[in-house]
Amino acid sequence: MSSPLSDRRRVRPAYPVLLLLAPALLAGCASERPAPPPGAVWDAPSVTATAGQPVPSTTLPAVGSASPAPTREPARRVFPVRAAKVAYHPTHATYPGTDIFADCGEPVVAVTDGTILEVSRVDRFDRRGPRGPHNGGLSVSLLGDDGVRYYGSHLSAISAGVDAGVRVRAGQQLGTVGRTGNANNVCHLHFGLSPKCTGHDDWWIRRGVVWPARYLDSWRAGGNRSPVAEVTAWEREHGCPEAPGSN
């Protein structure tokens, strides 16, 4: 016959043994996690807070999400005449524009990166008329990548290869200062800013619709002031007038 003391020993709970085995069992499950199939991506493990410490905030990109679009650099602009001695006035005759005075033969360059729009290699100006379309003599206009049309006229020559549809870079030579057209025998570059208007010969717009002087001041000093907002606002208000004097 067993004593009460021996009975109590036989029925003692086995909890300590199970507690000792539990870490080993859990470790065995963790070590048996299957490797991901080729090309698969495991979800990031969740972050567990320790006692008294907040869960750190983590932001992970979604699998397959698109990369952020690269930031586009602002357009570079340069002064349109490359010469040591230049002069210009903030006003013009009867419409916005600027006459940039420099010696004949000084380089005329692209203000910014863009595509050549129009080129006139022949001086068709005749004092008997028609006056408007041919006043500029030899001229070239550039549609900048910023959407602004940059126009220069009265040139003495236009560089070889500068033709409609050709891509040019800021500072690339387009021609030379001259006195063709109605330049009154004075060497200078007529410079105008305007929107691109299509569907008709819009010389009355191409010659200039906003005052360029403050932009020229910036570019001459090495700045990069943009005429985009002002030209865009003018086009929004006026559109593309189909005849001179209607703008």
Side-chain angles (χ1 to χ4, degrees):
M1 181 175 179
S2 61
S3 66
L5 182 59
S6 62
D7 290 340
R8 283 197 298 273
R9 287 195 186 101
R10 283 195 296 270
V11 298
R12 179 178 296 170
Y15 299 147
V17 176
L18 292 174
L19 291 174
L20 289 173
L21 290 174
L25 292 172
L26 292 174
C29 291
S31 64
E32 291 173 5
R33 183 177 183 178
V41 178
W42 290 114
D43 291 335
S46 59
V47 180
T48 304
T50 56
Q53 295 182 352
V55 177
S57 175
T58 57
T59 303
L60 299 172
V63 176
S65 61
S67 300
T71 302
R72 184 176 181 180
E73 295 183 0
R76 171 178 170 249
R77 300 177 183 87
V78 300
F79 194 78
V81 177
R82 191 166 61 225
K85 295 180 180 180
V86 296
Y88 53 93
H89 196 269
T91 62
H92 192 262
T94 58
Y95 60 91
T98 296
D99 289 333
I100 303 174
F101 299 95
D103 291 338
C104 281
E106 294 286 18
V108 173
V109 301
V111 170
T112 190
D113 296 355
T115 303
I116 300 297
L117 270 181
E118 302 112 341
V119 176
S120 174
R121 295 182 180 273
V122 178
D123 186 358
R124 295 184 174 89
F125 175 71
D126 188 336
R127 294 189 180 277
R128 296 169 297 181
R131 299 294 296 272
H134 306 310
N135 281 359
L138 274 63
S139 61
V140 59
S141 71
L142 162 70
L143 179 63
D145 291 344
D146 57 6
V148 173
R149 175 167 49 182
Y150 300 85
Y151 172 69
S153 63
H154 306 315
L155 280 69
S156 59
I158 295 175
S159 300
V162 175
D163 299 300
V166 170
R167 289 282 302 171
V168 294
R169 305 287 291 180
Q172 180 176 334
Q173 185 167 346
L174 304 180
T176 52
V177 173
R179 51 191 177 192
T180 57
N182 68 341
N184 294 320
N185 206 34
V186 177
C187 296
H188 71 282
L189 175 76
H190 172 82
F191 182 74
L193 300 170
S194 67
K196 176 189 176 184
C197 290
T198 58
H200 50 267
D201 177 20
D202 61 336
W203 59 265
W204 55 92
I205 300 172
R206 183 170 59 236
R207 66 188 180 180
V209 298
V210 301
W211 295 104
R214 60 176 176 165
Y215 304 107
L216 292 170
D217 290 344
S218 172
W219 306 336
R220 190 178 184 188
N224 197 29
R225 189 166 190 166
S226 170
V228 171
E230 189 175 5
V231 170
T232 301
W234 185 93
E235 184 179 18
R236 187 180 302 117
E237 180 179 354
H238 301 278
C240 288
E242 296 183 358
S246 60
N247 57 351

